[in-house]
Amino acid sequence: MKIFFLRYDIVSDGNRLTAILSFIGRFVVYLCFNSTHMHKEVIDFDEDIKVIDESKQGDILFYDSNQPGFKKFYIESYGCQMNFSDSEIVASILAEEGYVPTKNMEDASLILVNTCSIREKAEETVRNRLVVYNKAKQDRPGTLIGVLGCMAERLKSKLMDEEKLVDLVVGPDAYRDIPGLLSRAEEGERSINVLLSREETYADISPLRLDSNGIVAFISIMRGCDNMCSFCVVPFTRGRERSRDWHSIVAEADDLFQRGFRDITLLGQNVDSYHWTCPETGNVVDFAQLLEKVALVNPLLRIRFSTSHPKDITDEVLYTMNKYHNICKYIHLPVQSGSNRILQLMNRTYTREWYMERIDTIYRIMPDCAVSSDIIAGFCTESDDDHRDTLEIMKYANFNMSYMFFYSERPGTLAARKFQDDIPLPLKKDRLAEIVELQRQISIKHNQSDIGKVFEVLIEGDSKKSSDYFKGRNSQNKMVVFPKSEVYCPGAYVNIRITNATGATLLGEIIQ
Ligand code: SAM
Ligand code: SF4
């Protein structure tokens, strides 16, 4: 296992904050596996081997300002990319109230944590952080502490009972109420709003792009989830699915492009069920149509999206991807399990055969497309045969990458109510280790088959390991590292011939 440290600096404009914004990733721990049979030279350029997507957990957004009159807030974010995007919406709402973000908890009069409930460990991490924030509050009485996001929604007022020093509890659909909740908290009243909404999409709020290198950005296109996967807490913490008006999505993409951004990811728990109905005409825009509208913003703007659900991804989406060069040839299509029995217990509403057909169709329409997955090991009643089915489907789908987890029972979910969490933890971990090892082998093979190929790469910045090298991604979302050339700078597209590869990174050189 290795430990790496990350640093990003960015320049961006904000609503009332028009100075230079910068962001430094807190110490970030990557769980990385040593690839003992790789050349050392290649290992040194591994940019991103992820076992569990822990790379951004606990990142801090901040604004480096000592301007008088500004109150300072400190925010840490946990969980999925949607949560990180939400923190940028919160930052924008707070900016309107005269708050600026700081990276130093000690400077802040408001400490916020945007939380995740997806697995027990995510909640434990937040509880541990609350101990640290409480210490800061004891040192500086008057400091306010707020818990935002999924854990706030799941635990509601219980969180206030359990965590005596928490002043604000705000669910994911109540961020517009933060100013009101803050004024009550400033008067000594502990305040809470965890109301879920059927309409809220924050469409009119321009997020402060804090977590960015100025090239890559995320746009939320929908909120909530109507699928009831039996293991998942998201439908309970983020409410009903609703899609954002496509006009505001295209306007945000256009604005980002004008400001120099070149790679945007459209975000939703299930983007393929994006469905916006025009209130005046009743006309519907679906995800394939939305993709096309965003792709047409500018051919130099790359479009990605996440997450796709195997039951909903349509051929229209695949044909639209194929039609536009700037829609990246990469699909995150979580399979969760390869066993029909387990898929049914998970309420995923597709079979392994359905999933394999979707994979066949993706590769038929776009032979160069990369597919990644989420996989859960040790779901309730999972047998050795079920586990083998998962290993088999991983090989069939030839995932270039996966996020892999062992099952963590979440209170209130269908699985927690209906099934026994009966796979012992050591067995869950053994199965997960086998899945991780298989994925590592598939990823290495996948990347080695790229040696000799030429990819168009968007330069995102310096490689983490050496400022003599640039890093960037190809359309397939693979990280590529290559020696710098003075002719190019971040935001430029370059053609790279791949000369070497690890499971996580391609190494190459610029070709003219
Ligand atoms: N909406 C996406 C989908 O349907 O694939 C994923 C959303 S969830 C935030 C991300 C991943 O966390 C899931 O795909 C699943 O693999 C994992 N996950 C969710 N609940 C889990 C649980 N109770 N235990 C372990 N992993 C879980
Ligand atoms: Fe959770 Fe399933 Fe919705 Fe994804 S689709 S957020 S796994 S309920």
Side-chain angles (χ1 to χ4, degrees):
M1 201 167 87
K2 298 176 190 172
I3 295 178
F4 297 134
F5 302 102
L6 246 193
R7 181 196 159 100
Y8 296 109
D9 284 316
I10 63 149
V11 176
S12 164
D13 279 334
N15 299 349
R16 290 170 50 187
L17 310 175
T18 48
I20 294 172
L21 291 169
S22 59
F23 163 83
I24 291 184
R26 217 164 50 87
F27 289 164
V28 175
V29 180
Y30 278 98
L31 295 174
C32 290
F33 282 74
N34 284 310
S35 310
T36 45
H37 45 285
M38 291 280 126
H39 297 295
K40 180 170 187 317
E41 169 203 0
V42 179
I43 292 170
D44 283 345
F45 283 100
D46 261 358
E47 288 287 327
D48 221 358
I49 302 179
K50 290 178 210 162
V51 177
I52 294 170
D53 191 14
E54 300 285 4
S55 62
K56 293 177 68 58
Q57 303 304 297
D59 272 0
I60 306 162
L61 308 176
F62 82 98
Y63 168 66
D64 203 5
S65 168
N66 287 316
Q67 291 178 51
F70 282 108
K71 295 174 274 186
K72 291 188 177 173
F73 75 96
Y74 169 95
I75 186 165
E76 278 180 23
S77 305
Y78 293 85
C80 62
Q81 190 56 52
M82 292 286 291
N83 247 15
F84 285 77
S85 284
D86 279 3
S87 291
E88 295 183 335
I89 288 169
V90 170
S92 179
I93 291 168
L94 285 171
E96 291 295 322
E97 298 300 304
Y99 274 91
V100 292
T102 172
K103 65 171 176 168
N104 298 316
M105 198 190 298
E106 308 74 47
D107 295 342
S109 57
L110 172 63
I111 298 175
L112 296 174
V113 58
N114 198 350
T115 59
C116 171
S117 284
I118 202 85
R119 284 169 289 277
E120 195 179 350
K121 186 169 170 289
E123 290 201 357
E124 272 167 22
T125 308
V126 170
R127 298 271 187 188
N128 293 337
R129 293 304 294 160
L130 283 172
V131 175
V132 178
Y133 310 150
N134 287 345
K135 169 87 178 49
K137 181 168 178 158
Q138 277 160 0
D139 292 347
R140 281 173 302 112
T143 306
L144 298 177
I145 298 180
V147 179
L148 317 176
C150 290
M151 206 170 152
E153 193 62 54
R154 194 179 82 74
L155 295 169
K156 304 185 171 59
S157 54
K158 200 163 161 241
L159 192 58
M160 283 202 159
D161 298 340
E162 289 167 5
E163 304 287 346
K164 297 287 178 227
L165 293 176
V166 169
D167 302 285
L168 308 172
V169 172
V170 194
D173 286 347
Y175 296 145
R176 286 182 201 269
D177 196 23
I178 286 179
L181 295 170
L182 264 178
S183 11
R184 289 205 284 283
E186 277 161 3
E187 281 157 22
E189 195 186 321
R190 301 175 81 202
S191 45
I192 176 165
N193 187 342
V194 287
L195 286 177
L196 287 173
S197 157
R198 280 178 178 253
E199 284 90 35
E200 182 61 90
T201 58
Y202 300 110
D204 57 318
I205 295 182
S206 173
L208 285 186
R209 303 283 167 190
L210 300 163
D211 179 9
S212 170
N213 51 13
I215 309 291
V216 176
F218 297 84
I219 300 181
S220 287
I221 62 164
M222 57 206 294
R223 297 182 72 83
C225 184
D226 281 353
N227 298 314
M228 291 298 267
C229 300
S230 62
F231 52 80
C232 184
V233 80
V234 168
F236 304 96
T237 59
R238 300 192 76 97
R240 299 302 299 268
E241 181 185 292
R242 65 224 98 121
S243 297
R244 180 177 161 189
D245 183 340
W246 70 265
H247 299 90
S248 75
I249 297 169
V250 169
E252 193 172 330
D254 190 43
D255 175 59
L256 286 165
F257 182 77
Q258 302 305 333
R259 287 158 53 194
F261 287 84
R262 290 291 177 267
D263 185 311
I264 58 166
T265 302
L266 307 178
L267 288 179
Q269 293 299 348
N270 179 6
V271 289
D272 301 284
S273 67
Y274 175 88
H275 186 97
W276 184 79
T277 311
C278 175
E280 287 86 37
T281 62
N283 288 346
V284 170
V285 172
D286 65 15
F287 185 57
Q289 291 165 323
L290 176 73
L291 257 186
E292 179 155 43
K293 289 176 192 300
V294 183
L296 289 170
V297 165
N298 195 296
L300 288 177
L301 183 65
R302 274 186 168 180
I303 321 298
R304 301 179 188 275
F305 53 88
S306 187
T307 297
S308 290
H309 196 299
K311 79 177 164 61
D312 289 320
I313 190 164
T314 60
D315 289 3
E316 284 69 36
V317 166
L318 304 178
Y319 285 119
T320 307
M321 288 176 75
N322 194 42
K323 183 170 165 193
Y324 292 96
H325 177 71
N326 59 329
I327 304 181
C328 290
K329 304 299 174 276
Y330 167 66
I331 301 175
H332 184 58
L333 194 70
V335 67
Q336 312 295 359
S337 168
S339 150
N340 276 339
R341 199 179 64 81
I342 296 295
L343 285 171
Q344 196 172 8
L345 292 182
M346 287 178 163
N347 198 28
R348 288 292 284 182
T349 70
Y350 54 84
T351 59
R352 68 183 267 119
E353 291 76 20
W354 173 278
Y355 188 88
M356 287 153 80
E357 188 281 328
R358 291 289 76 199
I359 290 288
D360 292 346
T361 307
I362 291 170
Y363 291 146
R364 178 172 52 76
I365 295 175
M366 293 172 291
D368 60 340
C369 191
V371 181
S372 62
S373 186
D374 292 349
I375 299 168
I376 298 178
F379 186 66
C380 312
T381 77
E382 187 187 69
S383 66
D384 285 343
D385 282 349
D386 295 322
H387 172 58
R388 261 193 295 278
D389 283 346
T390 298
L391 299 175
E392 285 310 313
I393 209 160
M394 288 172 69
K395 291 182 210 159
Y396 187 88
N398 193 25
F399 298 129
N400 75 316
M401 190 272 281
S402 292
Y403 297 109
M404 299 157 280
F405 316 97
F406 62 75
Y407 173 59
S408 162
E409 186 179 80
R410 306 311 294 131
T413 55
L414 289 179
R417 282 183 272 142
K418 281 168 65 181
F419 313 127
Q420 221 190 330
D421 181 13
D422 56 354
I423 307 299
L425 188 59
L427 183 54
K428 284 182 184 174
K429 289 188 171 173
D430 282 353
R431 287 181 182 163
L432 178 63
E434 232 183 302
I435 288 170
V436 167
E437 174 52 23
L438 175 61
Q439 183 58 60
R440 193 181 68 81
Q441 288 170 17
I442 297 172
S443 298
I444 289 173
K445 243 168 103 180
H446 214 285
N447 284 358
Q448 283 180 341
S449 71
D450 287 336
I451 295 174
K453 291 184 188 163
V454 174
F455 292 111
E456 185 181 62
V457 172
L458 172 65
I459 304 176
E460 292 181 17
D462 284 1
S463 152
K464 271 184 247 165
K465 308 292 162 49
S466 165
S467 56
D468 294 335
Y469 287 75
F470 275 138
K471 69 169 180 188
R473 277 172 299 154
N474 64 6
S475 179
Q476 290 74 11
N477 206 36
K478 290 187 184 177
M479 191 57 81
V480 184
V481 173
F482 49 96
K484 273 184 176 172
S485 144
E486 280 168 14
V487 183
Y488 300 106
C489 57
Y493 288 96
V494 280
N495 286 326
I496 303 291
R497 187 190 311 283
I498 304 305
T499 53
N500 220 331
T502 70
T505 306
L506 301 177
L507 197 65
E509 60 198 11
I510 298 175
I511 58 167
Q512 296 308 320

